[in-house]
Amino acid sequence: MKVIGKPRRRVDGWAKVTGRTRFADDIVLPRMLHMKLLRSPLPHAEIEAIDVSRAEKLAGVQLVLTGKDFPVTFGIMPVSQDEYPLASDRVRFVGDPVAAVIARDEQTCTEALDLIEVKYRPLKTIATPEEALATTEPRIHEYGPHGNIHRLQAHEFGDVEEALGSSDYVFEDVFFYEGNTHLAIEQQAAVAALEDAGGLVLYSSTQNPHYLHRELARVLQMPASRIRVVATPNGGGFGGRCDPANHEMVVAKAALALGRPVKICLSREEVFYVHRGRHPVLMKFRTGVTKDGRLTGIHLQTLLDGGAYGSHGAASTFYTGVLTPTTYELPRFKFEACRTFTNKPPCGPKRGHGTPQPRFGQEVQLDKIAEKLGLDPAEMRLRIAVKPNSLTANWLRIGSAGLAECIRQVVERSGWKEKFRKLPEGRGVGLACSAYMCGAGLPIYWNKMPHSGVQLLADRSGQVTALCGATEIGQGSDDVLAAMVAEVLGIGAEDVRVLTGDTGLTPVDLGSYSSRVTVMMGNAAIQAAEALKARIAEAASEQFQVAPNRLEFANGRVFLAADASKGMAFREAIELAEAKFGTLGSVGSYRPPDPPGRYKGAGAGPSPAYSYTACVVEVEVDRATGWIAVPKIWIAHDIGRVINPVLARGQVVGSVYMGLAEALMEEQVFRRLPPKLSNALVHKFPSLLEYKSPTSLDMPEVETVFVEDPDPNCPFGAKEVGQGPLLPVPPALANAIYDAVGVRIDELPITPDKVLRALEKKAKGEEPRVGPEHFPAVPYPEPVVVPPPWEGGDGNAVKGAGPKVKVPA
Amino acid sequence: MSQGVMVRRNVHIDLRVNGETQEASFAPYKTLLEVLREDLGLTGTKHGCELGECGACAVLVDGEPQLSCLVLAVECEGRSIETVEGMAKGAELHPLQAAFADLGAAQCGYCTPGILMTAKALLEREPSPTRDRIREAISGNLCRCTGYQQIYEAVEEAARRMKESA
Amino acid sequence: MMRLPWFEFRAPSSVAEAARILAAEGPDAMPIAGGTDLLPNMKRRHQTPRTLVSLRRIESLKKVSNGAGLTLGAGLTLTEVIHEPKAQPYGALRQAAAQVATVHLRNMGTLGGNLCLDTRCTYYNQNYEWRKAIDFCLKKDGGICWVATASKRCVAMSSTDCAPALIAIGAKAKLVSATDERELALESLYNNDGIEYLKRRPDEILTEIRLPPAAGWRSTYWKLRRRGAFDFPVLGVAAAARFAKDGTVEEARIALGAVASRPFLVPKAAEALVGKKLTDDVIAEAATLAASRAKPMDNADLDLYWRKQVAADFVGYALRELRGDDMRGTRLRIARQIL
């Protein structure tokens, strides 16, 4: 291969280092106005009246919008379209938008916001999942099973109680993973304008222009064909721009109403409110094992703090469990989950979407199991690592699976055998693993159409243009697109012009989420490139009087495989093809294979492939203060195949960074003031200073290893790399702390005060652990019962199933 | 707020940006960041908080990295301002830019201009900084994508290339 | 984009002229030096001065002069202080200045600005909209201190790094107004009140800091914060001591920062060192005495009980470093950089 696997400057590298990458807030259009949103200062209230008259009269103000201008709701999931662009009668968290001012400049907008008078009637606030479970009235939303429960679900794959009953040991642990946020450095911005005789164009820092496109059509009640969404390069995504956002709807409406371009750029504080970040999740694992460390069954219960709206919550709830069986052989699995509404900014997808939380619990518990059984945690994991080409208890199809090799790599490179349980007091190493999906098997709304489409254009100039709806959020999707096309056509990646993320010009791609882009866009790109190549080969082969398949495409030439001296420049070959076939173009599309599971709920979890990761973290813990230092991290990732090693390594180190940040310091937490004095329930510190994210001085060295075992479902065998490597980092850190000082911190983040508290407990002879003490009673429903593949099932439920899911032909 | 009867009038000054002197007229409350982006059209300089908490807006003022979000533009008369737009010589990238592009130091690219300017000041002062010096020098620039490692490598590579071509 | 409110801008070229403007404009005028504290506060509408009086063009505020000791102009940037050769003997100051915020902010912020830093609190250092959501607080626009709801006094925290260092060194501050000038021990520049935290009158300008001769003294500063950069201290420990040839402490000062609304000396802890050699026991006793005065509140980063708990450890680090222990490894872990 000439392009794939070679380190290269990314195709958009030049623009990024010269300051020419045009982010949304860099867009300036003639006659452009500015917009700001008035947000609720109350966590839960009815809106009794809004008076905008004084704001409207302020010099420079062009328009004020309120909830009455937006009768239609929206939401990323079809099952929870519960958001209004501007709240009409109810606000549900501090930061819920209630009005918008459009004026000549931001300063005027700010002054006008102060002139809007809103009369609120405060309602009782709900701050935690426990409160949500206990509060039947008021309900934050009128939908959901009951009270303030948003989602409830239960699945059982084989009789788990029986499995636990016949196990040598059963471990029961409760873990907590605090919520946190993406904190992309770019604050979301959007510019809306009219074009083409009244059609709407919206430039926005969105990861998912396609879903935004659909929701805009719904909210604005306009045909989608009259709306164009252009995803500007995102100044960091991490899942934070997956949801269609209020400000995108409102700025679009304003541009339509005024016939002028309108821009909004969120303040940092607003970014914290719009976030849709990691759900706080409380988890209980009951795990049965045999004496030699084989798993017999897991019963997992999760409780999610969803915040004030549905967001991706229906999916997030599934993801707190469905990938649990993908790492190790697990004969039986029961999973119960509950997402609650609270009066806080809604949570949604952040890098790893719902899965880092249970991975933390599972991998820390495995460490405890190994300790109890007297096994080396690496050896134990090697023994039970999931096998390639297998099915899981919940009917996920595993293809390639390089977990064992990942474990061997980090064990070898970290000097695990010389360090584990052998380092001096205060120093330790910990190991953890993970698996992650390479794209969701199903789209967010039910349809049978492709998940990704790529169109190629080529002409006599020799240029090849690749169009795809995929969105460049920094991960390098534009580079992947160019590389795939270039490899097939035998040209350089820099010879492919890419145009992406524009619903007006590019074929649909569902978006940059769930680690789907490389696999899905890549497969579509290869298909399109092969089709184009076939035409070029057919035309060129006539020159040499050979069959088209005797030609090779490489180094910008088309030549005889048998005799490289007989050939022509790629450009000349295109000329021949254009002469023979007329204007040249091709398309490719991709839709993932149908999942084997057929039960209700089987749609969450399936993926064309799964990536695997193993990680070793070394720590130094100061026994007097609990202070934690991390000198080094080793990580091995089963990527299938590396496309551009420069970018792939960047994704791994960046994931390690983010995982370590969540493990050590990041937390999106809230403050409730004394209820006798105040109704307030506010984000504790919506700022880049007080929401702690590691600086260069806080980040250890990371040694990265790639395990390449190409997956047949993936383009050139390449699996995901953007999310999976985050997941093992927090549990590896927790396990390392145990190795260093013998205390268990069963909740994230792991801060020095928690370590010190646990050390004090240890000194007093108490259980050396800090973490949640109990798991509340949650009214989980009767489970959907599905026999696992090895117990004679066919992927359908046998009990509590609801209607069987239709399997597409 | 004390806007009351205050006369709201623009200030009018000459600014020297990337070696070129330009006239600018702007409200006195505007920071250098706002004037660069909004009045001079130099949108290469980014912003992430406007409170001095991220480093995205770093530019060079008289050769020193400073945060343009906390510099009053009105105080910049007579000072030399350098932004990312001024780094390349014509079409030729500055060695730092080339190394950042080649070695993955820019992922989403949003913190990149601020880090490039900060690194430029470092290399002008210390042509061969150690890894630890690079870590310290860019510790006022938050990056959420890279985990910083490839940024260090790019600065080291640029230093090497600059020495070779010197 | 967060923007500043409107203001009138003045840029005098002498202290006298600046003082005249401040006197004429009254409390609606504020001096601005580096701007790294005032401008974020103005963007968040904590302060909305009608007039800003820039001190940046005043050359005399950049002066460094030797005499009996060292005089540093308040207008020196923190970077200039760190690299000032004459300031090298004052280890505590250099370490404190080097740990303020970030490289960029140290290139902008001044020594005087750091000493006059507004007190900080997580209920206060928030945007206008956020503060509206809690109905504001005692320090600004509201009636209740949300940190201690029964408190009549604002408990916002002194967050300057340089002040405890300079207090331990024994520095004095000079204030100049249109009508008079005065010099006071740096410690007496501060009130233990989150609102009226400075004894500086609105018409006064902090012009210079006078440090006593360093001969015979060793000083150091240890800062507790979450990250290696950006963060304000949640505990600052400065210690200075003069040693006899045999290592006996002849004179000492220990100052704490970020555990009250002002930085302050702990004379009892310092006295516990005098006449003794810094043995582990002596250090432990002084550390306990000093730490007992630390009263952190739940208005800053990190768990407040833990902050209180580790205060003695940090005093211990400082004293062991004064004793001559090699603390580089510990300092690297705590400060995350080589200082």
Side-chain angles (χ1 to χ4, degrees), chain A residues 4-139:
Chain A
I4 303 295
K6 305 285 188 297
R8 278 182 301 104
R9 175 183 293 188
R10 57 193 293 162
V11 295
D12 49 356
W14 182 85
K16 286 178 195 285
V17 298
T18 52
R20 306 213 191 178
T21 300
R22 193 160 285 250
F23 296 94
D25 192 41
D26 300 337
I27 294 171
V28 177
L29 297 175
R31 301 185 73 229
M32 187 171 81
L33 298 165
H34 295 265
M35 183 176 101
K36 274 195 172 293
L37 296 173
L38 180 72
R39 294 179 180 270
S40 169
L42 294 182
H44 199 191
E46 279 175 6
I47 299 174
E48 293 188 323
I50 302 185
D51 181 357
V52 300
S53 55
R54 285 174 65 216
E56 284 173 332
K57 284 182 201 130
L58 185 73
V61 171
Q62 294 278 342
L63 179 68
V64 180
L65 294 169
T66 62
K68 68 174 168 28
D69 299 301
F70 295 95
V72 182
T73 60
F74 69 97
I76 182 74
M77 307 294 288
V79 294
S80 56
Q81 296 199 300
D82 56 3
E83 300 181 57
Y84 286 92
L86 296 172
S88 55
D89 56 355
R90 177 95 78 97
V91 289
R92 295 176 170 88
F93 69 97
V94 171
D96 221 356
V98 295
V101 170
I102 297 92
R104 65 182 166 212
D105 55 29
E106 279 193 306
Q107 194 78 304
T108 308
C109 291
T110 305
E111 288 172 14
L113 289 183
D114 242 9
L115 302 175
I116 297 174
E117 283 160 42
V118 188
K119 209 171 147 207
Y120 294 103
R121 192 174 72 82
L123 298 169
K124 181 178 176 186
T125 62
I126 294 157
T128 64
E130 288 80 357
E131 283 177 30
L133 292 174
T135 309
T136 48
E137 291 290 338
R139 298 183 75 184

Side-chain angles (χ1 to χ4, degrees), chain A residues 25 36 38 41 94 106-107 110-111 114 265 267 269 273 620 622 624-629 664-665 667 671 673-674 677-678 680 682-695 697-698 751-753 756 760, chain C residues 1-6 44-45 120 122-123 125-135 144 146 149 224-232 298-303 306 309-310 313-314 317 330 333-337:
Chain A
D25 192 41
K36 274 195 172 293
L38 180 72
V94 171
E106 279 193 306
Q107 194 78 304
T110 305
E111 288 172 14
D114 242 9
C265 181
S267 72
E269 180 181 357
Y273 299 150
E620 296 169 9
D622 183 295
T625 60
W627 193 257
I628 304 157
L664 288 174
M665 56 180 85
E667 45 184 342
R671 234 193 237 286
L673 297 189
L677 297 170
S678 168
V682 287
H683 191 296
K684 212 167 166 186
F685 29 59
S687 74
L688 276 171
L689 178 65
E690 294 300 335
Y691 180 95
K692 303 298 180 188
S693 70
T695 71
L697 293 169
D698 308 301
T751 48
D753 56 294
L756 191 57
E760 285 168 355
Chain C
M1 183 109 70
M2 295 198 62
R3 291 170 201 271
L4 293 165
W6 280 85
R44 291 172 149 173
R45 306 301 190 259
R120 300 186 62 85
T122 43
Y123 292 92
N125 295 100
Q126 303 275 4
N127 293 356
Y128 177 75
E129 291 76 13
W130 189 97
R131 291 184 290 123
K132 203 165 156 185
I134 62 159
D135 199 20
I144 297 177
W146 293 111
T149 51
L224 172 60
R225 60 173 162 183
R226 182 91 69 137
R227 302 178 292 180
F230 284 105
D231 297 342
F232 288 94
D298 184 18
N299 61 352
D301 186 34
L302 292 164
D303 180 81
W306 179 78
Q309 223 174 341
V310 301
D313 296 281
F314 274 67
Y317 299 153
T330 309
R333 274 195 298 280
I334 300 288
R336 322 262 165 120
Q337 54 185 310

Side-chain angles (χ1 to χ4, degrees), chain A residues 355-395:
Chain A
T355 305
Q357 299 97 322
R359 278 287 181 254
F360 170 69
Q362 187 183 9
E363 291 290 320
V364 172
Q365 192 183 47
L366 274 181
D367 206 62
K368 297 182 185 186
I369 292 170
E371 160 98 13
K372 172 93 177 178
L373 301 183
L375 299 171
D376 178 290
E379 286 298 322
M380 188 180 90
R381 284 175 170 88
L382 274 174
R383 214 177 286 166
I384 60 174
V386 80
K387 298 283 185 295
N389 306 312
S390 58
L391 284 171
T392 65
N394 59 340
W395 290 85

Side-chain angles (χ1 to χ4, degrees), chain A residues 3 82 119 340 351 381 416 436 462 477 510 512 514 531 543 557 604 615 655 674 679 687 691 693 697:
Chain A
V3 179
D82 56 3
K119 209 171 147 207
T340 57
R351 208 171 197 171
R381 284 175 170 88
W416 172 263
Y436 200 65
S477 60
L510 295 180
S512 288
S514 91
Q543 290 284 306
R557 291 181 75 242
C615 175
S655 293
N679 201 30
S687 74
Y691 180 95
S693 70
L697 293 169

Side-chain angles (χ1 to χ4, degrees), chain B residues 30-37 42 45-47 50-52 55-61 64-73 76 81-83, chain C residues 1 4 39 43 104-105 108:
Chain B
K30 280 198 159 187
T31 59
L32 178 58
L33 169 71
E34 291 161 73
V35 170
L36 288 173
R37 288 180 54 84
L42 296 171
T45 301
K46 304 304 177 197
H47 60 101
E50 304 98 62
L51 295 168
C57 67
V59 300
L60 302 189
V61 179
E64 273 189 342
Q66 299 200 0
L67 300 181
S68 60
C69 74
L70 298 182
V71 173
L72 293 176
C76 289
I81 312 295
E82 292 171 70
T83 70
Chain C
M1 183 109 70
L4 293 165
L39 295 182
K43 287 183 178 184
H104 309 83
L105 292 161
M108 304 160 71

Side-chain angles (χ1 to χ4, degrees), chain A residues 9 16-17 25-26 111 182-183 187 268 646 649-651 654 657 666 689 693-694 696-697 699 702, chain B residues 8 29 37 46-48 50 53 97 102 106-108 116 135 139 144-145 147-150 152-153:
Chain A
R9 175 183 293 188
K16 286 178 195 285
V17 298
D25 192 41
D26 300 337
E111 288 172 14
H182 321 84
L183 207 78
Q187 300 143 308
R268 178 53 59 183
V646 177
R649 189 161 71 94
Q651 286 301 306
Y657 158 86
E666 291 191 28
L689 178 65
S693 70
S696 55
L697 293 169
M699 183 63 195
V702 179
Chain B
R8 294 185 167 189
Y29 67 74
R37 288 180 54 84
K46 304 304 177 197
H47 60 101
E50 304 98 62
E53 300 175 351
Q97 290 175 305
D102 290 340
Q107 278 187 30
C108 81
L116 281 170
R135 290 177 75 202
S139 61
R144 291 290 283 173
C145 295
Y148 304 104
Q149 198 153 313
Q150 285 171 311
Y152 309 147
E153 292 164 4

